[in-house]
Amino acid sequence: MRRMGDVLAGIHAAWEFESDALVIRFERGIRTPKLYQVLRERRVPYEALASVTLTPGKRNTVVLHAVPRPGADPLMEAAAGQLKESCDPYRLVLPADRETLAEYYRDELRALLPPEPGAAGAAGHGGSAPYDGRDALDGPDRGGALDVPGDPYGGVAPAERFLVAPPSGPLSFKAYDGKASFDGSAEVAFRWFWTGASSEKWKAGDQTFSVRDLCGIEWRSPDVFDGHLRLLSRDGGPRPSQPDHDPASVVFGLGYGLVHESLPFAAAVLAAIRASDRAPVPVGSRTPGAVAERIRHLGELHRAGLVTDEEFSTKKAELLAEL
């Protein structure tokens, strides 16, 4: 940027341009998407961006879109393309009469992005042919100011690690069948609601998962029929096909697990999983307190006749072996 610290204010958000990063600050007004209000602020290093585009928006607006590199932002990785445009934190909507100013910042920001591969470089994300996102392509009736659709990643290689910090919260939320909580670094817990949890989940008992035992997450937006958050185990063992029957999942619906609650949570867990991949593995992945709680719940199920003597003895031995 020619002048570091410049601020470009749009609808519901503002972009500030620092020497090494784009800082996105979100408004907290009543009409601001709730996801923006939860995120508050995001600092995006320029190396975390693949391209910048300027396209026509709705109702006499233009949209400046900073496209993150694949694998650079845990929030966008967890979302897996399921966010509505109105909730995309990398889109800045501006009145159409500010198009010239938006074009200037688009060009300035493009100049700060990492070099793109040449014609013989790697193929773009998803197998698409490379697209030179820095070339200003002509838009309809705009004199060449706006971009036309193409590969938004511009042939930029996926990031080897997360370059954008995960959201700071929330670290707990209510799903339809239970409450999910995360300590921020090591453990995720599911506590079932008797009004929503399936018999399979009640029989399995409340769950506590060590981040080190997980290889990823699967988030399905609550805006679809089968919305859920599923934790993926490293052991790769068989699991129920339906999240409603899987003790490693919580399901959404009827106003539970909303995007602004469950997606930042999922992103924080995903970031912790990736961080654990790079850290040394300590002896004993389960805390004694978590194991004791599981055994206590198992005992309650045994006394209630929901598990047999054999099932109780086998499961208790498995839990003790985790210490």
Side-chain angles (χ1 to χ4, degrees), residues 190-192 202-208 287-307 312 315-317 319-320 323:
F190 293 161
R191 301 290 180 259
W192 308 123
W202 270 113
K203 189 170 183 179
D206 292 342
Q207 301 289 300
T208 301
T287 64
V291 172
E293 175 63 21
R294 294 285 303 280
I295 292 176
R296 181 196 65 77
H297 185 80
L298 184 65
E300 292 177 352
L301 295 175
H302 180 237
R303 289 190 293 274
L306 297 176
V307 297
F312 173 76
K315 188 61 178 178
K316 182 178 179 180
L319 291 170
L320 291 174
L323 291 173

Side-chain angles (χ1 to χ4, degrees), residues 142-161:
R142 293 288 184 174
L146 300 188
D147 301 312
V148 298
D151 174 15
Y153 298 102
V156 175
E160 296 182 356
R161 60 183 178 85

Side-chain angles (χ1 to χ4, degrees), residues 49-50 110-118 134 154-157:
L49 297 177
R110 282 175 172 174
L112 296 173
L113 301 187
E116 295 173 3
R134 294 185 190 177
V156 175

Side-chain angles (χ1 to χ4, degrees), residues 40-313:
R40 297 189 181 182
E41 178 179 308
R42 309 211 77 207
R43 190 176 190 276
V44 184
Y46 295 129
E47 64 176 322
L49 297 177
S51 65
V52 186
T53 63
L54 180 63
T55 56
K58 299 177 181 179
R59 299 178 183 176
N60 201 31
T61 62
V62 292
V63 179
L64 196 56
H65 188 196
V67 182
R69 288 172 61 186
D73 184 348
L75 183 79
M76 304 308 287
E77 289 298 296
Q82 299 174 77
L83 279 179
K84 296 179 180 179
E85 282 191 350
S86 60
C87 291
D88 186 339
Y90 287 88
R91 297 173 79 251
L92 184 67
V93 181
L94 300 152
D97 60 10
R98 304 191 71 189
E99 180 183 320
T100 300
L101 183 62
E103 181 185 359
Y104 163 79
Y105 279 106
R106 176 199 62 184
D107 295 341
E108 289 288 292
L109 189 52
R110 282 175 172 174
L112 296 173
L113 301 187
E116 295 173 3
H125 180 66
S128 302
Y131 163 73
D132 187 357
R134 294 185 190 177
D135 291 338
L137 301 176
D138 292 342
D141 303 323
R142 293 288 184 174
L146 300 188
D147 301 312
V148 298
D151 174 15
Y153 298 102
V156 175
E160 296 182 356
R161 60 183 178 85
F162 288 140
L163 301 171
V164 182
S168 58
L171 295 182
S172 67
F173 71 91
K174 289 184 178 180
Y176 173 72
D177 57 355
K179 180 179 180 180
S181 58
F182 178 42
D183 66 3
S185 61
E187 288 189 343
V188 183
F190 293 161
R191 301 290 180 259
W192 308 123
F193 297 153
W194 70 270
T195 53
S198 64
S199 59
E200 290 85 357
K201 291 183 176 180
W202 270 113
K203 189 170 183 179
D206 292 342
Q207 301 289 300
T208 301
F209 304 89
S210 171
V211 165
R212 291 190 177 280
D213 294 339
L214 304 175
C215 66
I217 60 95
E218 178 184 88
W219 182 80
R220 292 292 177 266
S221 173
D223 295 331
V224 300
F225 177 73
D226 60 345
H228 63 268
L229 171 63
R230 191 196 301 261
L231 304 180
L232 306 179
S233 174
R234 291 187 186 276
D235 62 22
R239 66 186 186 191
S241 60
Q242 296 296 323
D244 184 45
H245 300 161
D246 185 359
S249 302
V250 289
V251 298
F252 307 150
L254 300 178
Y256 293 96
L258 299 175
V259 170
H260 68 280
E261 298 173 336
S262 61
L263 179 57
F265 180 99
V269 172
L270 180 59
I273 292 171
R274 296 285 178 84
S276 72
D277 290 341
R278 299 172 177 269
V281 179
V283 176
S285 59
R286 297 282 191 185
T287 64
V291 172
E293 175 63 21
R294 294 285 303 280
I295 292 176
R296 181 196 65 77
H297 185 80
L298 184 65
E300 292 177 352
L301 295 175
H302 180 237
R303 289 190 293 274
L306 297 176
V307 297
T308 65
D309 293 343
E310 182 179 356
E311 289 174 330
F312 173 76
S313 299

